[in-house]
Coordinates of all heavy atoms in Angstrom, one line a residue:
M1 N -4.1 -21.5 42.6 CA -2.9 -22.2 42.2 C -2.6 -22.0 40.7 O -3.5 -21.9 39.9 CB -3.0 -23.7 42.5 CG -1.7 -24.4 42.2 SD -1.5 -26.1 42.7 CE -1.8 -26.0 44.4
N2 N -1.4 -22.0 40.3 CA -1.0 -21.8 38.9 C -1.1 -23.1 38.2 O -1.6 -24.1 38.7 CB 0.4 -21.3 38.8 CG 0.6 -20.0 39.4 OD1 -0.3 -19.2 39.5 ND2 1.8 -19.8 40.0
K3 N -0.7 -23.1 37.0 CA -0.7 -24.2 36.1 C 0.0 -25.4 36.7 O 0.9 -25.2 37.5 CB 0.0 -23.8 34.8 CG -0.7 -24.2 33.5 CD 0.0 -23.6 32.4 CE 1.1 -24.5 31.8 NZ 2.1 -23.8 31.1
V4 N -0.5 -26.6 36.4 CA 0.2 -27.8 36.8 C 1.6 -27.8 36.3 O 1.8 -27.6 35.1 CB -0.6 -29.0 36.4 CG1 0.1 -30.3 36.8 CG2 -2.0 -29.0 36.9
M5 N 2.5 -28.1 37.2 CA 3.9 -28.2 36.7 C 4.3 -29.6 36.6 O 5.5 -29.9 36.4 CB 4.8 -27.5 37.7 CG 4.7 -26.0 37.6 SD 6.1 -25.1 38.3 CE 5.4 -24.7 39.9
F6 N 3.4 -30.5 36.6 CA 3.8 -31.9 36.5 C 3.6 -32.4 35.1 O 2.9 -31.8 34.3 CB 2.9 -32.8 37.4 CG 3.0 -32.4 38.8 CD1 2.1 -31.7 39.5 CD2 4.1 -32.9 39.5 CE1 2.2 -31.4 40.8 CE2 4.2 -32.6 40.9 CZ 3.3 -31.8 41.5
K7 N 4.4 -33.4 34.8 CA 4.3 -34.0 33.4 C 4.1 -35.5 33.5 O 4.4 -36.1 34.6 CB 5.7 -33.7 32.7 CG 5.9 -32.3 32.4 CD 7.3 -32.1 31.8 CE 7.5 -30.7 31.5 NZ 8.9 -30.5 31.0
K8 N 3.7 -36.0 32.4 CA 3.5 -37.5 32.4 C 4.9 -38.2 32.7 O 5.9 -37.6 32.3 CB 3.1 -37.9 31.0 CG 2.4 -39.2 30.9 CD 2.0 -39.5 29.5 CE 1.7 -41.0 29.3 NZ 1.5 -41.4 28.0
N9 N 4.8 -39.3 33.4 CA 5.9 -40.1 33.8 C 6.7 -39.5 35.0 O 7.7 -40.1 35.4 CB 6.9 -40.4 32.7 CG 6.2 -41.3 31.7 OD1 5.5 -42.2 32.1 ND2 6.5 -41.1 30.4
D10 N 6.3 -38.3 35.5 CA 7.0 -37.8 36.7 C 6.6 -38.8 37.9 O 5.5 -39.3 37.9 CB 6.4 -36.4 37.1 CG 7.0 -35.3 36.3 OD1 8.0 -35.6 35.6 OD2 6.5 -34.2 36.4
T11 N 7.5 -38.9 38.8 CA 7.2 -39.7 40.0 C 6.8 -38.7 41.1 O 7.5 -37.7 41.3 CB 8.4 -40.5 40.5 OG1 8.8 -41.4 39.5 CG2 8.1 -41.3 41.7
V12 N 5.6 -38.9 41.7 CA 5.1 -37.9 42.6 C 4.7 -38.6 43.9 O 4.6 -39.8 44.0 CB 3.9 -37.2 42.0 CG1 4.3 -36.3 40.9 CG2 2.8 -38.2 41.6
V13 N 4.6 -37.7 44.9 CA 4.2 -38.2 46.3 C 2.8 -37.6 46.6 O 2.6 -36.4 46.4 CB 5.2 -37.7 47.3 CG1 4.8 -38.3 48.7 CG2 6.6 -38.1 47.0
V14 N 1.9 -38.5 47.0 CA 0.6 -38.1 47.3 C 0.6 -37.4 48.7 O 1.2 -38.0 49.7 CB -0.4 -39.3 47.3 CG1 -1.8 -38.8 47.6 CG2 -0.4 -39.9 46.0
I15 N 0.0 -36.3 48.9 CA 0.1 -35.6 50.2 C -1.2 -35.5 50.9 O -1.3 -34.9 52.0 CB 0.7 -34.2 50.0 CG1 0.0 -33.3 49.0 CG2 2.2 -34.3 49.7 CD1 0.4 -31.9 48.9
S16 N -2.3 -36.0 50.4 CA -3.5 -36.0 51.1 C -4.4 -37.2 50.7 O -4.1 -37.9 49.7 CB -4.3 -34.7 51.0 OG -4.7 -34.6 49.6
G17 N -5.4 -37.4 51.5 CA -6.4 -38.5 51.1 C -5.9 -39.9 51.6 O -4.9 -40.0 52.3
K18 N -6.6 -40.9 51.2 CA -6.4 -42.2 51.7 C -5.0 -42.8 51.2 O -4.5 -43.7 51.8 CB -7.5 -43.2 51.4 CG -7.7 -43.4 49.9 CD -8.9 -44.3 49.6 CE -9.4 -44.3 48.2 NZ -9.1 -45.4 47.3
D19 N -4.5 -42.2 50.1 CA -3.2 -42.7 49.6 C -2.1 -41.8 50.0 O -1.0 -41.9 49.4 CB -3.3 -42.9 48.1 CG -4.2 -44.0 47.7 OD1 -4.1 -45.1 48.3 OD2 -5.0 -43.9 46.7
K20 N -2.3 -41.1 51.0 CA -1.2 -40.2 51.5 C 0.1 -40.9 51.7 O 0.1 -42.0 52.3 CB -1.7 -39.5 52.8 CG -0.8 -38.4 53.3 CD -1.4 -37.8 54.5 CE -0.5 -36.8 55.1 NZ -1.1 -36.1 56.2
G21 N 1.2 -40.3 51.2 CA 2.5 -40.9 51.4 C 2.9 -41.9 50.3 O 4.1 -42.2 50.2
K22 N 2.0 -42.3 49.5 CA 2.3 -43.2 48.3 C 3.0 -42.4 47.2 O 2.8 -41.3 47.0 CB 1.0 -43.8 47.7 CG 0.5 -45.0 48.4 CD -0.5 -45.7 47.6 CE -1.2 -46.8 48.3 NZ -2.3 -47.3 47.5
T23 N 3.9 -43.1 46.6 CA 4.5 -42.6 45.4 C 4.1 -43.3 44.2 O 3.8 -44.5 44.2 CB 6.1 -42.6 45.5 OG1 6.5 -44.0 45.6 CG2 6.6 -41.8 46.7
G24 N 4.1 -42.7 43.1 CA 3.7 -43.3 41.8 C 4.0 -42.5 40.6 O 4.4 -41.3 40.8
K25 N 3.8 -43.1 39.5 CA 4.2 -42.4 38.2 C 2.9 -41.7 37.7 O 1.8 -42.3 37.7 CB 4.7 -43.4 37.3 CG 5.8 -42.9 36.4 CD 6.2 -44.0 35.5 CE 7.7 -44.2 35.5 NZ 8.2 -45.2 34.5
I26 N 3.0 -40.6 37.1 CA 1.9 -39.9 36.5 C 1.6 -40.5 35.2 O 2.4 -40.7 34.3 CB 2.2 -38.4 36.3 CG1 2.2 -37.7 37.7 CG2 1.1 -37.7 35.5 CD1 2.4 -36.2 37.6
L27 N 0.3 -40.9 35.0 CA -0.1 -41.5 33.8 C -0.7 -40.5 32.9 O -0.7 -40.6 31.6 CB -1.2 -42.6 34.1 CG -0.7 -43.8 35.0 CD1 -1.9 -44.7 35.2 CD2 0.4 -44.6 34.3
K28 N -1.4 -39.5 33.5 CA -2.1 -38.5 32.7 C -2.2 -37.2 33.5 O -2.4 -37.2 34.7 CB -3.5 -39.1 32.4 CG -4.1 -38.6 31.1 CD -5.4 -39.4 30.9 CE -6.0 -38.9 29.6 NZ -7.3 -39.5 29.3
V29 N -2.2 -36.1 32.7 CA -2.3 -34.8 33.4 C -3.5 -34.1 32.8 O -3.8 -34.1 31.6 CB -1.0 -34.0 33.1 CG1 -1.1 -32.6 33.8 CG2 0.2 -34.7 33.6
F30 N -4.3 -33.5 33.7 CA -5.4 -32.7 33.3 C -5.1 -31.2 33.8 O -5.6 -30.8 34.8 CB -6.7 -33.2 34.0 CG -7.1 -34.6 33.7 CD1 -6.7 -35.6 34.5 CD2 -7.8 -34.9 32.5 CE1 -7.0 -36.9 34.2 CE2 -8.1 -36.2 32.2 CZ -7.7 -37.2 33.0
P31 N -4.4 -30.5 32.9 CA -4.0 -29.1 33.4 C -5.2 -28.2 33.7 O -5.1 -27.5 34.6 CB -3.3 -28.6 32.1 CG -3.0 -29.8 31.3 CD -4.0 -30.8 31.6
E32 N -6.3 -28.4 33.0 CA -7.4 -27.5 33.2 C -8.1 -27.7 34.5 O -8.8 -26.9 35.1 CB -8.4 -27.5 32.0 CG -9.2 -28.8 31.9 CD -8.4 -30.0 31.3 OE1 -7.2 -29.8 30.9 OE2 -9.0 -31.1 31.2
K33 N -7.9 -29.0 35.0 CA -8.5 -29.3 36.3 C -7.5 -29.3 37.4 O -7.9 -29.5 38.6 CB -9.2 -30.7 36.2 CG -10.4 -30.7 35.4 CD -11.0 -32.1 35.4 CE -12.1 -32.3 34.4 NZ -12.2 -33.7 33.9
N34 N -6.3 -29.1 37.1 CA -5.2 -29.2 38.1 C -5.1 -30.5 38.7 O -4.9 -30.6 39.9 CB -5.4 -28.1 39.1 CG -4.2 -27.3 39.4 OD1 -3.1 -27.7 39.0 ND2 -4.3 -26.1 39.9
K35 N -5.4 -31.5 37.9 CA -5.3 -32.9 38.5 C -4.5 -33.8 37.7 O -4.3 -33.5 36.5 CB -6.8 -33.4 38.6 CG -7.6 -32.8 39.7 CD -8.9 -33.5 39.8 CE -9.6 -33.1 41.1 NZ -10.9 -33.9 41.2
V36 N -4.1 -34.9 38.3 CA -3.3 -35.9 37.6 C -3.8 -37.3 37.9 O -4.4 -37.5 39.0 CB -1.8 -35.8 37.9 CG1 -1.2 -34.5 37.5 CG2 -1.5 -36.0 39.4
V37 N -3.5 -38.2 37.1 CA -3.8 -39.6 37.4 C -2.5 -40.3 37.7 O -1.5 -40.2 36.9 CB -4.5 -40.3 36.2 CG1 -4.6 -41.8 36.4 CG2 -5.9 -39.7 35.9
V38 N -2.4 -40.9 38.8 CA -1.1 -41.5 39.3 C -1.3 -43.0 39.3 O -2.4 -43.5 39.8 CB -0.7 -41.0 40.7 CG1 0.6 -41.6 41.0 CG2 -0.6 -39.5 40.7
E39 N -0.4 -43.7 38.8 CA -0.4 -45.2 38.7 C -0.6 -45.8 40.1 O 0.1 -45.5 41.0 CB 1.0 -45.6 38.2 CG 1.1 -47.1 37.7 CD 2.4 -47.4 37.2 OE1 3.4 -46.8 37.6 OE2 2.5 -48.3 36.4
K40 N -1.6 -46.6 40.2 CA -2.0 -47.4 41.4 C -2.3 -46.5 42.6 O -2.2 -46.9 43.7 CB -0.8 -48.3 41.8 CG -0.6 -49.4 40.7 CD 0.4 -50.4 41.3 CE 0.6 -51.6 40.3 NZ 1.2 -51.2 39.0
V41 N -2.8 -45.3 42.3 CA -3.2 -44.4 43.4 C -4.6 -44.0 43.2 O -5.0 -43.7 42.0 CB -2.3 -43.2 43.5 CG1 -2.9 -42.1 44.4 CG2 -0.9 -43.6 44.0
N42 N -5.4 -43.9 44.3 CA -6.8 -43.5 44.2 C -7.6 -44.3 43.3 O -8.3 -43.8 42.4 CB -6.8 -42.0 43.8 CG -8.1 -41.3 44.2 OD1 -8.8 -41.7 45.1 ND2 -8.6 -40.3 43.4
F43 N -7.6 -45.6 43.6 CA -8.5 -46.5 42.8 C -9.9 -46.2 43.1 O -10.3 -46.0 44.3 CB -8.1 -47.9 43.2 CG -7.1 -48.5 42.3 CD1 -5.8 -48.8 42.8 CD2 -7.4 -48.8 41.0 CE1 -4.9 -49.4 42.0 CE2 -6.4 -49.3 40.1 CZ -5.2 -49.6 40.6
I44 N -10.7 -46.2 42.1 CA -12.2 -46.2 42.3 C -12.8 -47.4 41.6 O -12.3 -47.9 40.6 CB -12.8 -44.9 41.8 CG1 -12.4 -44.6 40.3 CG2 -12.4 -43.7 42.6 CD1 -13.4 -43.8 39.6
K45 N -14.0 -47.7 42.1 CA -14.7 -48.8 41.5 C -15.6 -48.2 40.4 O -16.3 -47.3 40.6 CB -15.5 -49.6 42.5 CG -14.6 -50.4 43.4 CD -15.4 -51.5 44.1 CE -14.4 -52.5 44.7 NZ -14.3 -52.3 46.1
E46 N -15.6 -48.9 39.3 CA -16.5 -48.4 38.2 C -17.4 -49.6 37.8 O -16.9 -50.7 37.6 CB -15.7 -48.0 37.0 CG -16.4 -47.1 36.1 CD -15.6 -46.6 34.9 OE1 -14.8 -47.4 34.3 OE2 -15.6 -45.4 34.6
F47 N -18.6 -49.3 37.8 CA -19.6 -50.4 37.5 C -19.8 -50.4 36.0 O -20.2 -49.4 35.4 CB -20.9 -50.2 38.2 CG -20.7 -50.4 39.7 CD1 -20.4 -49.3 40.5 CD2 -20.6 -51.6 40.3 CE1 -20.2 -49.4 41.9 CE2 -20.4 -51.8 41.7 CZ -20.2 -50.7 42.4
I48 N -19.6 -51.5 35.4 CA -19.8 -51.6 33.9 C -21.0 -52.5 33.6 O -21.1 -53.6 34.1 CB -18.5 -52.1 33.3 CG1 -17.4 -51.0 33.5 CG2 -18.7 -52.3 31.8 CD1 -16.0 -51.6 33.2
R49 N -21.8 -52.0 32.8 CA -23.0 -52.8 32.5 C -22.7 -53.8 31.4 O -21.9 -53.5 30.5 CB -24.1 -51.8 31.9 CG -25.5 -52.4 32.0 CD -26.5 -51.4 31.7 NE -26.8 -50.5 32.8 CZ -27.7 -49.6 32.9 NH1 -28.5 -49.5 31.8 NH2 -27.9 -48.9 33.9
R50 N -23.2 -54.9 31.6 CA -23.0 -56.0 30.6 C -23.6 -55.6 29.3 O -24.7 -55.1 29.2 CB -23.7 -57.3 31.1 CG -23.3 -58.5 30.4 CD -24.2 -59.6 30.8 NE -24.1 -60.7 29.9 CZ -23.6 -61.9 30.2 NH1 -23.1 -62.1 31.4 NH2 -23.5 -62.8 29.3
D51 N -22.9 -55.7 28.2 CA -23.3 -55.4 26.9 C -22.9 -56.4 25.9 O -21.7 -56.4 25.4 CB -22.8 -54.0 26.6 CG -23.4 -53.4 25.3 OD1 -24.0 -54.2 24.5 OD2 -23.3 -52.2 25.1
Q52 N -23.8 -57.3 25.5 CA -23.4 -58.4 24.6 C -23.0 -57.9 23.2 O -22.2 -58.5 22.6 CB -24.5 -59.4 24.6 CG -24.4 -60.3 25.8 CD -25.4 -61.4 25.8 OE1 -26.5 -61.2 25.3 NE2 -25.1 -62.5 26.4
S53 N -23.7 -56.9 22.8 CA -23.4 -56.4 21.4 C -22.0 -55.9 21.3 O -21.4 -55.9 20.2 CB -24.4 -55.3 21.0 OG -24.2 -54.1 21.9
K54 N -21.4 -55.4 22.4 CA -20.0 -54.9 22.4 C -19.1 -55.9 23.0 O -17.9 -55.6 23.2 CB -19.9 -53.6 23.1 CG -20.6 -52.4 22.3 CD -20.5 -51.2 23.1 CE -21.4 -50.1 22.6 NZ -21.8 -49.2 23.7
N55 N -19.6 -57.1 23.3 CA -18.9 -58.1 24.0 C -18.2 -57.7 25.3 O -17.1 -58.0 25.6 CB -17.8 -58.7 23.0 CG -17.3 -60.1 23.4 OD1 -18.0 -60.7 24.1 ND2 -16.2 -60.5 22.9
V56 N -19.0 -56.9 26.0 CA -18.5 -56.4 27.3 C -19.1 -57.3 28.4 O -20.3 -57.5 28.4 CB -19.0 -54.9 27.6 CG1 -18.6 -54.5 29.0 CG2 -18.3 -54.0 26.5
Q57 N -18.3 -57.8 29.2 CA -18.7 -58.7 30.3 C -19.5 -58.1 31.4 O -20.4 -58.7 31.9 CB -17.4 -59.4 30.9 CG -16.9 -60.6 30.2 CD -17.6 -61.8 30.7 OE1 -17.3 -62.3 31.8 NE2 -18.6 -62.4 30.0
G58 N -19.2 -56.9 31.7 CA -19.9 -56.2 32.8 C -19.2 -56.6 34.1 O -18.4 -57.5 34.2
G59 N -19.6 -55.8 35.1 CA -19.1 -56.1 36.5 C -18.4 -54.8 37.0 O -18.7 -53.7 36.6
V60 N -17.5 -55.1 38.0 CA -16.9 -53.9 38.6 C -15.4 -53.9 38.2 O -14.7 -54.9 38.2 CB -16.9 -54.1 40.2 CG1 -16.2 -52.9 40.8 CG2 -18.3 -54.2 40.6
M61 N -15.0 -52.7 37.7 CA -13.7 -52.5 37.3 C -13.0 -51.5 38.2 O -13.7 -50.5 38.6 CB -13.6 -52.0 35.9 CG -13.1 -53.0 34.9 SD -12.7 -52.3 33.3 CE -11.8 -50.8 33.7
E62 N -11.8 -51.7 38.5 CA -11.1 -50.7 39.3 C -10.2 -49.9 38.4 O -9.5 -50.5 37.6 CB -10.3 -51.3 40.4 CG -11.2 -51.9 41.5 CD -10.5 -52.1 42.8 OE1 -10.1 -51.1 43.4 OE2 -10.3 -53.2 43.2
K63 N -10.2 -48.6 38.6 CA -9.3 -47.8 37.8 C -8.8 -46.6 38.6 O -9.5 -46.2 39.6 CB -9.9 -47.4 36.5 CG -11.1 -46.4 36.7 CD -11.4 -45.8 35.3 CE -12.3 -44.6 35.5 NZ -12.7 -44.0 34.3
E64 N -7.8 -46.0 38.2 CA -7.3 -44.8 38.9 C -8.1 -43.6 38.6 O -8.4 -43.3 37.4 CB -5.8 -44.5 38.5 CG -4.8 -45.6 38.9 CD -4.5 -46.5 37.9 OE1 -5.2 -46.7 36.9 OE2 -3.4 -47.2 38.0
A65 N -8.5 -42.8 39.6 CA -9.2 -41.6 39.4 C -8.2 -40.4 39.6 O -7.2 -40.5 40.3 CB -10.3 -41.4 40.4
P66 N -8.5 -39.3 38.9 CA -7.6 -38.2 39.0 C -7.6 -37.6 40.4 O -8.6 -37.6 41.1 CB -8.2 -37.1 38.1 CG -9.1 -37.9 37.2 CD -9.6 -39.0 38.0
I67 N -6.4 -37.2 40.8 CA -6.3 -36.6 42.2 C -5.6 -35.3 42.1 O -5.0 -34.9 41.0 CB -5.4 -37.5 43.1 CG1 -4.1 -37.8 42.6 CG2 -6.2 -38.8 43.5 CD1 -3.1 -38.4 43.6
H68 N -5.8 -34.5 43.1 CA -5.2 -33.2 43.1 C -3.7 -33.2 43.2 O -3.1 -34.2 43.6 CB -5.8 -32.4 44.3 CG -6.6 -31.3 43.8 ND1 -6.0 -30.1 43.3 CD2 -7.9 -31.1 43.7 CE1 -7.0 -29.3 42.9 NE2 -8.2 -29.9 43.1
V69 N -3.2 -32.1 42.8 CA -1.7 -32.0 42.7 C -1.0 -32.3 44.0 O -1.5 -32.2 45.1 CB -1.4 -30.6 42.3 CG1 0.1 -30.4 42.3 CG2 -2.0 -30.3 40.9
L70 N 0.2 -32.9 43.8 CA 0.9 -33.5 44.9 C 2.4 -33.0 44.8 O 2.6 -32.0 44.1 CB 0.9 -35.0 44.7 CG 0.1 -35.5 43.5 CD1 0.9 -35.3 42.3 CD2 -0.4 -36.8 43.7
L71 N 3.2 -33.6 45.5 CA 4.6 -33.2 45.5 C 5.4 -34.1 44.5 O 5.1 -35.3 44.3 CB 5.3 -33.4 46.9 CG 4.7 -32.5 48.0 CD1 5.3 -32.9 49.3 CD2 4.9 -31.0 47.7
L72 N 6.4 -33.5 43.9 CA 7.2 -34.3 43.0 C 8.2 -35.0 43.9 O 8.7 -34.5 44.9 CB 8.0 -33.4 42.0 CG 8.6 -34.1 40.9 CD1 7.6 -34.4 39.8 CD2 9.8 -33.3 40.4
Y73 N 8.5 -36.3 43.5 CA 9.5 -37.0 44.2 C 10.9 -36.7 43.7 O 11.2 -36.9 42.5 CB 9.2 -38.5 44.1 CG 10.1 -39.4 44.9 CD1 9.8 -39.5 46.3 CD2 11.2 -40.0 44.4 CE1 10.7 -40.3 47.1 CE2 12.1 -40.8 45.2 CZ 11.8 -40.9 46.5 OH 12.6 -41.7 47.3
C74 N 11.8 -36.3 44.6 CA 13.1 -36.0 44.1 C 14.0 -37.1 44.6 O 14.1 -37.5 45.7 CB 13.6 -34.7 44.8 SG 15.3 -34.3 44.5
T75 N 14.7 -37.7 43.6 CA 15.6 -38.9 43.9 C 16.8 -38.4 44.7 O 17.3 -39.2 45.5 CB 16.0 -39.6 42.6 OG1 16.5 -38.6 41.7 CG2 14.9 -40.4 42.0
E76 N 17.2 -37.2 44.5 CA 18.4 -36.7 45.3 C 18.0 -36.6 46.7 O 18.8 -36.9 47.6 CB 18.8 -35.3 44.7 CG 19.3 -35.4 43.3 CD 20.6 -36.1 43.1 OE1 21.5 -35.9 44.1 OE2 20.8 -36.8 42.1
C77 N 16.8 -36.0 47.0 CA 16.4 -35.7 48.4 C 15.8 -37.0 49.0 O 15.7 -37.1 50.2 CB 15.4 -34.6 48.4 SG 16.1 -33.0 47.9
G78 N 15.2 -37.9 48.2 CA 14.6 -39.1 48.7 C 13.2 -38.7 49.3 O 12.8 -39.4 50.2
R79 N 12.6 -37.7 48.9 CA 11.3 -37.2 49.4 C 10.6 -36.4 48.5 O 11.1 -36.0 47.4 CB 11.6 -36.5 50.7 CG 12.6 -35.3 50.6 CD 12.6 -34.4 51.8 NE 11.5 -33.6 51.8 CZ 11.4 -32.5 52.6 NH1 12.4 -32.2 53.4 NH2 10.3 -31.7 52.5
G80 N 9.3 -36.0 48.9 CA 8.5 -35.2 48.0 C 9.0 -33.7 48.1 O 9.3 -33.2 49.2
I81 N 9.1 -33.0 47.0 CA 9.6 -31.7 47.0 C 8.7 -30.8 46.2 O 7.8 -31.3 45.5 CB 11.0 -31.6 46.5 CG1 11.1 -32.2 45.1 CG2 12.0 -32.3 47.4 CD1 11.0 -31.2 43.9
R82 N 8.9 -29.5 46.3 CA 8.1 -28.6 45.4 C 9.0 -28.2 44.3 O 10.2 -28.2 44.3 CB 7.8 -27.3 46.2 CG 6.8 -27.7 47.3 CD 6.0 -26.5 47.8 NE 5.1 -26.9 48.9 CZ 3.9 -27.5 48.7 NH1 3.5 -27.6 47.4 NH2 3.2 -27.8 49.7
I83 N 8.3 -28.0 43.2 CA 9.0 -27.7 41.9 C 9.3 -26.2 41.9 O 8.4 -25.3 42.2 CB 8.2 -28.1 40.7 CG1 7.9 -29.6 40.7 CG2 8.9 -27.6 39.4 CD1 6.9 -30.0 39.8
R84 N 10.5 -25.8 41.5 CA 10.8 -24.4 41.3 C 11.1 -24.3 39.8 O 11.8 -25.1 39.2 CB 12.0 -24.0 42.1 CG 12.4 -22.6 42.0 CD 13.5 -22.3 42.9 NE 13.1 -22.2 44.3 CZ 14.0 -22.1 45.3 NH1 15.3 -22.1 45.1 NH2 13.5 -22.1 46.5
K85 N 10.6 -23.2 39.2 CA 10.9 -23.0 37.8 C 12.1 -22.1 37.7 O 12.2 -21.1 38.4 CB 9.7 -22.4 37.1 CG 8.7 -23.5 36.6 CD 7.8 -23.0 35.6 CE 6.9 -24.1 35.1 NZ 5.8 -23.6 34.3
K86 N 12.9 -22.4 36.7 CA 14.1 -21.7 36.5 C 14.3 -21.3 35.0 O 14.0 -22.2 34.2 CB 15.3 -22.5 37.0 CG 16.5 -21.7 37.3 CD 17.5 -22.7 38.1 CE 18.9 -22.2 38.0 NZ 19.8 -23.2 38.6
R87 N 14.6 -20.1 34.8 CA 14.9 -19.7 33.4 C 16.3 -19.7 33.1 O 17.1 -19.1 33.8 CB 14.3 -18.4 33.1 CG 14.2 -18.0 31.6 CD 13.7 -16.6 31.4 NE 12.2 -16.6 31.6 CZ 11.4 -16.7 30.5 NH1 11.9 -16.9 29.3 NH2 10.1 -16.6 30.7
L88 N 16.7 -20.4 32.1 CA 18.1 -20.5 31.7 C 18.5 -19.3 30.9 O 17.6 -18.5 30.4 CB 18.4 -21.8 30.9 CG 18.2 -23.1 31.7 CD1 18.5 -24.3 30.7 CD2 19.0 -23.2 32.9
E89 N 19.8 -19.1 30.7 CA 20.3 -18.0 30.0 C 19.8 -18.0 28.5 O 19.6 -16.9 27.9 CB 21.8 -17.9 30.0 CG 22.3 -17.4 31.3 CD 23.9 -17.4 31.4 OE1 24.5 -17.4 30.3 OE2 24.4 -17.5 32.5
D90 N 19.6 -19.1 28.0 CA 19.1 -19.2 26.6 C 17.6 -19.0 26.5 O 17.0 -19.1 25.5 CB 19.5 -20.5 25.9 CG 18.9 -21.7 26.5 OD1 18.1 -21.6 27.4 OD2 19.2 -22.8 26.1
G91 N 17.0 -18.8 27.7 CA 15.5 -18.5 27.6 C 14.7 -19.7 27.9 O 13.5 -19.6 28.2
S92 N 15.2 -20.9 27.9 CA 14.4 -22.1 28.1 C 14.2 -22.2 29.6 O 14.9 -21.8 30.4 CB 15.1 -23.3 27.5 OG 16.4 -23.5 28.2
K93 N 13.0 -22.9 29.9 CA 12.7 -23.0 31.3 C 12.9 -24.5 31.7 O 12.6 -25.4 31.0 CB 11.2 -22.7 31.5 CG 10.9 -21.2 31.5 CD 9.4 -21.0 31.8 CE 9.0 -19.7 31.4 NZ 7.6 -19.6 31.1
I94 N 13.4 -24.6 32.9 CA 13.6 -26.0 33.5 C 12.9 -26.0 34.8 O 12.6 -25.0 35.4 CB 15.1 -26.4 33.6 CG1 15.8 -25.3 34.4 CG2 15.7 -26.6 32.2 CD1 17.1 -25.9 35.0
R95 N 12.7 -27.2 35.3 CA 12.2 -27.4 36.6 C 13.3 -27.9 37.5 O 14.0 -28.8 37.2 CB 11.0 -28.4 36.6 CG 9.9 -28.0 35.7 CD 8.8 -29.0 35.7 NE 9.3 -30.3 35.3 CZ 8.6 -31.5 35.4 NH1 7.4 -31.5 36.0 NH2 9.1 -32.6 35.1
T96 N 13.4 -27.3 38.7 CA 14.4 -27.8 39.7 C 13.7 -28.1 41.0 O 12.6 -27.6 41.3 CB 15.5 -26.7 39.9 OG1 14.9 -25.6 40.5 CG2 16.2 -26.4 38.6
C97 N 14.4 -28.8 41.8 CA 14.0 -29.1 43.2 C 14.2 -27.9 44.0 O 15.2 -27.2 44.0 CB 14.8 -30.3 43.7 SG 14.6 -30.6 45.4
N98 N 13.2 -27.6 44.9 CA 13.4 -26.4 45.7 C 14.3 -26.6 46.9 O 14.6 -25.7 47.6 CB 12.0 -25.9 46.2 CG 11.4 -26.8 47.3 OD1 11.6 -28.0 47.4 ND2 10.7 -26.2 48.2
I99 N 14.7 -27.8 47.1 CA 15.6 -28.1 48.3 C 17.0 -28.3 47.8 O 17.9 -27.5 48.2 CB 15.1 -29.3 49.1 CG1 13.7 -29.1 49.6 CG2 16.1 -29.7 50.2 CD1 13.0 -30.3 50.1
C100 N 17.3 -29.3 46.9 CA 18.6 -29.5 46.5 C 19.0 -28.8 45.2 O 20.1 -28.8 44.8 CB 18.9 -31.0 46.4 SG 18.0 -31.8 45.0
E101 N 18.0 -28.2 44.6 CA 18.1 -27.5 43.3 C 18.7 -28.3 42.2 O 19.2 -27.8 41.2 CB 19.0 -26.3 43.6 CG 18.4 -25.3 44.5 CD 19.1 -23.9 44.5 OE1 20.1 -23.8 43.9 OE2 18.6 -23.1 45.3
S102 N 18.5 -29.7 42.3 CA 18.9 -30.5 41.2 C 17.9 -30.3 40.0 O 16.7 -30.0 40.3 CB 19.0 -31.9 41.6 OG 17.7 -32.4 41.9
T103 N 18.3 -30.5 38.8 CA 17.4 -30.3 37.7 C 16.6 -31.5 37.5 O 17.0 -32.6 37.5 CB 18.3 -30.0 36.4 OG1 19.1 -28.9 36.7 CG2 17.4 -29.8 35.2
I104 N 15.3 -31.3 37.3 CA 14.4 -32.4 37.1 C 14.3 -32.7 35.6 O 14.2 -33.8 35.2 CB 13.0 -32.0 37.7 CG1 13.1 -32.0 39.2 CG2 11.9 -33.1 37.3 CD1 12.2 -31.0 39.9
D105 N 14.2 -31.6 34.8 CA 14.3 -31.9 33.4 C 14.7 -30.6 32.7 O 14.9 -29.6 33.3 CB 12.9 -32.3 32.8 CG 11.8 -31.3 33.0 OD1 12.2 -30.2 33.5 OD2 10.7 -31.5 32.6
Ligands
ZN201 ZN1 16.0 -32.5 45.7

């Protein structure tokens, strides 16, 4: 697979795993791992050790773990779509929906 075409704040659709079908906003992108962190998706439990010197309470914290690339949510289509890259006449690149061809950014 090529470089991640997703950006922070994109709304995406999860296409596999226990959160399949969920949509959420990208909080963070890890291009080198081809993964993204999506808001409220793929929660994992993290055990934190109590540490009084740092005033840490300890216990179990839930946080989002990075997940593999998904589909971008197209508001025009109302579903997950694939991103198509398009080069404009002035040389700049934009992302478009592969179905309705609306411009994403
Ligand atoms: Zn579309």
